[in-house]
């Protein structure tokens, strides 16, 4: 297992504001890693430092083995950043735009293949301004990956999407990850992090307050479970540390199938809200 991004003790201050107050991160090669946190937590500042677009005050940072404080052209070509498509390309077609950007990279992918991968083959000859918001975002991703990056940064990729467009976009991100691209995602949507990320880091007040797999973050998997069932038409709910035993007892009581049984643990959203409301 190799490390794509390693950060130790990163700090950044703007005047009186300590935007980043000592962040550590380890992002493994090939994983989808999500950075979560409320507005003003320091996510964008951190990501921009990793991308080589912002200077830091202190700390060690290595991105694909290079210090992004002194970026080289060769290093930049190994990194993809998904930006919002600029309006000045809106008059060009999807194919023209992707072909144009391909020329900037030494190991660019085939433009038509990338257009296919982001699901825009049927729109390839349409002008960008004629596309829907979700389709435009797919163009942004196409431009982010045309240079065959080893590491892709996605900042709030699905803001403003309807649920169906988000799901289609997630499939696209998964297909990129399957090809071995390391993906660093910042998002406001906890279901998005849960659907895509192998690990997440929760940032609040410029610090990491929790880190781990979405399923076990903040003790989720071992927190009290809510067992709920229907008893003669009435809903009953019990909070318990031993849900297996509770279900077993219910199975005996109902002599088999427990009506409308559910067993749930705190959602990622519930755990997240607790974490960011009481920063460590
Ligand atoms: P996030 O991306 O989590 O919303 P940011 O990294 O954008 O957080 O911001 C962290 C803090 O730094 C906020 O308090 C924000 O107002 C401040 N900040 C961000 N960029 C600048 C800047 N260029 N100049 C001054 N303050 C900034």
């Amino acid at each position: 297992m190799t490390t794509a991004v390693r950060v130790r003790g990163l700090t950044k201050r703007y005047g009186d504001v300590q935007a980043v107050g000592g962040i550590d991160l380890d992002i493994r090669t090939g994983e989808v890693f999500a950075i979560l946190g409320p507005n003003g937590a320091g996510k964008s500042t951190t990501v921009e430092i990793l991308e080589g677009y912002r200077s830091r005050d202190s700390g060690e940072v290595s991105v694909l083995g290079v210090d992004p404080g002194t970026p080289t052209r060769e290093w930049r070509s190994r990194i993809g950043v998904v930006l919002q498509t600029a309006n000045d390309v809106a008059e060009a077609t999807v194919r023209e735009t992707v072909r144009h950007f391909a020329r900037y990279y030494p190991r660019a992918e085939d433009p038509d293949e990338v257009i296919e991968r982001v699901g825009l083959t049927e729109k390839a000859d349409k002008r960008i301004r004629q596309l829907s918001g979700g389709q435009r975002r797919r163009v942004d991703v196409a431009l982010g990956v045309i240079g065959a990056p080893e590491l892709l940064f996605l900042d709030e990729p699905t803001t403003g999407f309807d649920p169906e467009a988000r799901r289609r976009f997630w499939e696209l991100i998964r297909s990129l990850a399957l090809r071995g691209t390391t993906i660093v995602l910042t998002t406001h949507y906890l279901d998005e992090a849960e659907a895509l990320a192998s690990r997440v880091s929760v940032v609040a007040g410029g610090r990491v307050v929790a880190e781990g797999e979405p399923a076990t973050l903040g003790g989720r998997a071992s927190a009290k479970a809510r067992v709920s069932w229907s008893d003669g038409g009435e809903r009953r709910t019990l909070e318990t540390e031993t849900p297996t035993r509770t279900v077993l007892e219910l199975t005996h009581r109902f002599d088999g199938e427990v009506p409308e049984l559910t067993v749930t643990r705190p959602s990622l959203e519930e755990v997240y809200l607790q974490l960011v409301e009481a920063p460590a």
Side-chain angles (χ1 to χ4, degrees):
M1 191 163 54
T2 57
T3 302
V5 176
R6 184 176 188 276
V7 175
R8 288 292 176 277
L10 178 66
T11 71
K12 175 74 180 180
R13 174 181 281 279
Y14 303 106
D16 291 341
V17 178
Q18 186 76 50
V20 178
I23 279 185
D24 297 344
L25 290 173
D26 286 287
I27 301 175
R28 299 169 192 151
T29 302
E31 78 173 328
V32 180
F33 190 94
I35 302 177
L36 303 173
N39 284 328
K43 303 183 297 295
S44 303
T45 301
T46 302
V47 168
E48 284 166 15
I49 290 168
L50 302 182
E51 292 168 348
Y53 290 124
R54 206 171 271 280
S55 65
R56 64 185 187 265
D57 294 343
S58 67
E60 285 170 41
V61 184
S62 167
V63 175
L64 301 180
V66 169
D67 182 340
T70 51
T72 62
R73 252 188 104 112
E74 193 273 334
W75 175 78
R76 272 212 184 288
S77 76
R78 297 165 63 203
I79 289 179
V81 178
V82 173
L83 304 163
Q84 309 263 348
T85 16
N87 274 322
D88 59 0
V89 301
E91 289 304 319
T93 69
V94 172
R95 198 190 318 270
E96 285 164 356
T97 306
V98 178
R99 280 191 181 159
H100 175 74
F101 276 81
R103 290 192 205 109
Y104 291 117
Y105 295 94
R107 296 174 308 275
E109 305 250 15
D110 174 51
D112 287 326
E113 200 190 306
V114 169
I115 290 169
E116 165 83 45
R117 244 195 281 147
V118 301
L120 285 176
T121 299
E122 277 164 30
K123 305 283 176 193
D125 296 313
K126 287 253 179 281
R127 294 183 197 285
I128 288 177
R129 68 169 161 76
Q130 295 171 303
L131 303 180
S132 72
Q135 289 163 348
R136 252 183 108 132
R137 209 69 186 118
R138 287 170 170 258
V139 176
D140 300 338
V141 173
L143 301 183
V145 302
I146 187 67
E150 293 162 51
L151 172 64
L152 182 68
F153 289 99
L154 284 166
D155 191 14
E156 309 276 345
T158 62
T159 299
F161 279 31
D162 64 41
E164 198 203 332
R166 289 179 70 216
R167 297 219 172 233
R168 264 187 279 133
F169 197 85
W170 292 354
E171 284 308 315
L172 168 59
I173 303 308
R174 288 194 188 109
S175 71
L176 291 173
L178 282 175
R179 293 169 67 92
T181 314
T182 307
I183 296 174
V184 179
L185 169 80
T186 60
T187 182
H188 275 121
Y189 298 117
L190 294 152
D191 58 341
E192 185 156 291
E194 190 147 36
L196 295 177
S198 53
R199 289 188 307 131
V200 307
S201 188
V202 179
V203 176
R207 289 175 174 278
V208 175
V209 294
E211 191 179 79
E213 295 169 23
T216 55
L217 194 81
R220 253 182 102 187
S222 52
K224 273 192 182 173
R226 243 174 262 142
V227 181
S228 178
W229 69 97
S230 173
D231 194 345
E234 206 174 319
R235 191 101 211 133
R236 308 247 181 219
T237 300
L238 197 85
E239 282 207 2
T240 172
E241 280 170 1
T242 53
T244 310
R245 187 183 306 159
T246 304
V247 171
L248 198 59
E249 284 164 9
L250 286 168
T251 313
H252 286 308
R253 195 191 310 167
F254 286 95
D255 196 19
E257 204 56 38
V258 182
E260 298 171 25
L261 173 71
T262 61
V263 180
T264 53
R265 306 271 184 182
S267 66
L268 183 58
E269 181 155 332
E270 286 171 284
V271 170
Y272 166 83
L273 288 172
Q274 277 174 13
L275 287 166
V276 301
E277 276 161 17

mmCIF file of all heavy atoms in Angstrom, residues 14 17 19 38-45 54, ligand 1:
data_model
loop_
_atom_site.group_PDB
_atom_site.id
_atom_site.type_symbol
_atom_site.label_atom_id
_atom_site.label_comp_id
_atom_site.label_asym_id
_atom_site.label_seq_id
_atom_site.Cartn_x
_atom_site.Cartn_y
_atom_site.Cartn_z
ATOM 1 N N TYR A 14 -4.942 33.396 7.910
ATOM 2 C CA TYR A 14 -5.201 34.625 7.135
ATOM 3 C C TYR A 14 -5.428 35.728 8.150
ATOM 4 O O TYR A 14 -6.492 35.764 8.773
ATOM 5 C CB TYR A 14 -6.471 34.492 6.294
ATOM 6 C CG TYR A 14 -6.514 33.337 5.323
ATOM 7 C CD1 TYR A 14 -7.314 32.218 5.581
ATOM 8 C CD2 TYR A 14 -5.804 33.370 4.132
ATOM 9 C CE1 TYR A 14 -7.387 31.173 4.680
ATOM 10 C CE2 TYR A 14 -5.866 32.320 3.230
ATOM 11 C CZ TYR A 14 -6.664 31.232 3.515
ATOM 12 O OH TYR A 14 -6.743 30.192 2.628
ATOM 13 N N VAL A 17 -7.414 35.028 11.326
ATOM 14 C CA VAL A 17 -8.157 33.766 11.202
ATOM 15 C C VAL A 17 -7.199 32.586 11.014
ATOM 16 O O VAL A 17 -6.439 32.543 10.063
ATOM 17 C CB VAL A 17 -9.139 33.815 9.996
ATOM 18 C CG1 VAL A 17 -9.877 32.495 9.848
ATOM 19 C CG2 VAL A 17 -10.110 34.966 10.144
ATOM 20 N N ALA A 19 -7.151 29.483 9.698
ATOM 21 C CA ALA A 19 -8.009 28.684 8.815
ATOM 22 C C ALA A 19 -7.714 27.193 8.971
ATOM 23 O O ALA A 19 -8.626 26.370 8.967
ATOM 24 C CB ALA A 19 -7.815 29.103 7.363
ATOM 25 N N PRO A 38 -18.127 21.605 8.109
ATOM 26 C CA PRO A 38 -19.025 22.734 7.858
ATOM 27 C C PRO A 38 -18.319 23.863 7.101
ATOM 28 O O PRO A 38 -17.100 23.833 6.941
ATOM 29 C CB PRO A 38 -19.415 23.184 9.266
ATOM 30 C CG PRO A 38 -18.340 22.682 10.168
ATOM 31 C CD PRO A 38 -17.790 21.440 9.524
ATOM 32 N N ASN A 39 -19.077 24.839 6.654
ATOM 33 C CA ASN A 39 -18.484 26.003 5.992
ATOM 34 C C ASN A 39 -17.472 26.665 6.910
ATOM 35 O O ASN A 39 -17.723 26.809 8.100
ATOM 36 C CB ASN A 39 -19.568 27.035 5.650
ATOM 37 C CG ASN A 39 -20.379 26.603 4.462
ATOM 38 O OD1 ASN A 39 -19.859 25.930 3.569
ATOM 39 N ND2 ASN A 39 -21.639 26.957 4.455
ATOM 40 N N GLY A 40 -16.340 27.051 6.351
ATOM 41 C CA GLY A 40 -15.327 27.741 7.129
ATOM 42 C C GLY A 40 -14.419 26.814 7.914
ATOM 43 O O GLY A 40 -13.562 27.260 8.673
ATOM 44 N N ALA A 41 -14.574 25.491 7.735
ATOM 45 C CA ALA A 41 -13.791 24.522 8.506
ATOM 46 C C ALA A 41 -12.323 24.488 8.089
ATOM 47 O O ALA A 41 -11.471 24.033 8.852
ATOM 48 C CB ALA A 41 -14.395 23.125 8.349
ATOM 49 N N GLY A 42 -12.030 24.953 6.876
ATOM 50 C CA GLY A 42 -10.658 24.909 6.387
ATOM 51 C C GLY A 42 -10.442 23.887 5.283
ATOM 52 O O GLY A 42 -9.301 23.610 4.894
ATOM 53 N N LYS A 43 -11.509 23.339 4.738
ATOM 54 C CA LYS A 43 -11.401 22.311 3.691
ATOM 55 C C LYS A 43 -10.765 22.871 2.419
ATOM 56 O O LYS A 43 -9.813 22.294 1.895
ATOM 57 C CB LYS A 43 -12.789 21.744 3.339
ATOM 58 C CG LYS A 43 -13.556 21.156 4.505
ATOM 59 C CD LYS A 43 -14.871 20.550 4.051
ATOM 60 C CE LYS A 43 -15.853 21.546 3.442
ATOM 61 N NZ LYS A 43 -16.365 22.577 4.368
ATOM 62 N N SER A 44 -11.330 23.976 1.917
ATOM 63 C CA SER A 44 -10.824 24.515 0.648
ATOM 64 C C SER A 44 -9.371 24.945 0.786
ATOM 65 O O SER A 44 -8.562 24.701 -0.111
ATOM 66 C CB SER A 44 -11.641 25.723 0.198
ATOM 67 O OG SER A 44 -12.976 25.374 0.096
ATOM 68 N N THR A 45 -9.047 25.579 1.908
ATOM 69 C CA THR A 45 -7.669 26.015 2.118
ATOM 70 C C THR A 45 -6.741 24.806 2.064
ATOM 71 O O THR A 45 -5.706 24.828 1.380
ATOM 72 C CB THR A 45 -7.546 26.737 3.482
ATOM 73 O OG1 THR A 45 -8.429 27.863 3.478
ATOM 74 C CG2 THR A 45 -6.126 27.196 3.748
ATOM 75 N N ARG A 54 -1.972 27.262 -3.203
ATOM 76 C CA ARG A 54 -1.949 28.140 -2.043
ATOM 77 C C ARG A 54 -0.733 27.782 -1.198
ATOM 78 O O ARG A 54 -0.376 26.608 -1.103
ATOM 79 C CB ARG A 54 -3.230 27.924 -1.238
ATOM 80 C CG ARG A 54 -3.656 29.095 -0.430
ATOM 81 C CD ARG A 54 -5.029 28.848 0.150
ATOM 82 N NE ARG A 54 -6.097 29.281 -0.728
ATOM 83 C CZ ARG A 54 -6.497 30.555 -0.838
ATOM 84 N NH1 ARG A 54 -5.918 31.502 -0.134
ATOM 85 N NH2 ARG A 54 -7.469 30.879 -1.641
HETATM 86 P P1 LIG B 1 -14.192 25.627 3.938
HETATM 87 O O1 LIG B 1 -13.676 25.265 2.596
HETATM 88 O O2 LIG B 1 -14.183 24.485 4.895
HETATM 89 O O3 LIG B 1 -15.505 26.322 3.881
HETATM 90 P P2 LIG B 1 -12.083 27.650 3.936
HETATM 91 O O4 LIG B 1 -10.782 26.949 3.831
HETATM 92 O O5 LIG B 1 -12.657 28.252 2.706
HETATM 93 O O6 LIG B 1 -13.150 26.662 4.605
HETATM 94 O O7 LIG B 1 -11.992 28.804 5.022
HETATM 95 C C1 LIG B 1 -11.458 28.627 6.336
HETATM 96 C C2 LIG B 1 -11.436 29.968 7.049
HETATM 97 O O8 LIG B 1 -10.497 30.829 6.420
HETATM 98 C C3 LIG B 1 -12.759 30.713 7.019
HETATM 99 O O9 LIG B 1 -12.907 31.385 8.241
HETATM 100 C C4 LIG B 1 -12.590 31.681 5.870
HETATM 101 O O10 LIG B 1 -13.387 32.820 6.054
HETATM 102 C C5 LIG B 1 -11.114 32.013 5.936
HETATM 103 N N1 LIG B 1 -10.538 32.310 4.601
HETATM 104 C C6 LIG B 1 -10.505 31.487 3.524
HETATM 105 N N2 LIG B 1 -9.860 32.051 2.498
HETATM 106 C C7 LIG B 1 -9.466 33.278 2.909
HETATM 107 C C8 LIG B 1 -8.738 34.356 2.292
HETATM 108 N N3 LIG B 1 -8.281 34.288 1.049
HETATM 109 N N4 LIG B 1 -8.523 35.468 3.044
HETATM 110 C C9 LIG B 1 -8.964 35.555 4.305
HETATM 111 N N5 LIG B 1 -9.652 34.570 4.940
HETATM 112 C C10 LIG B 1 -9.907 33.446 4.265
#
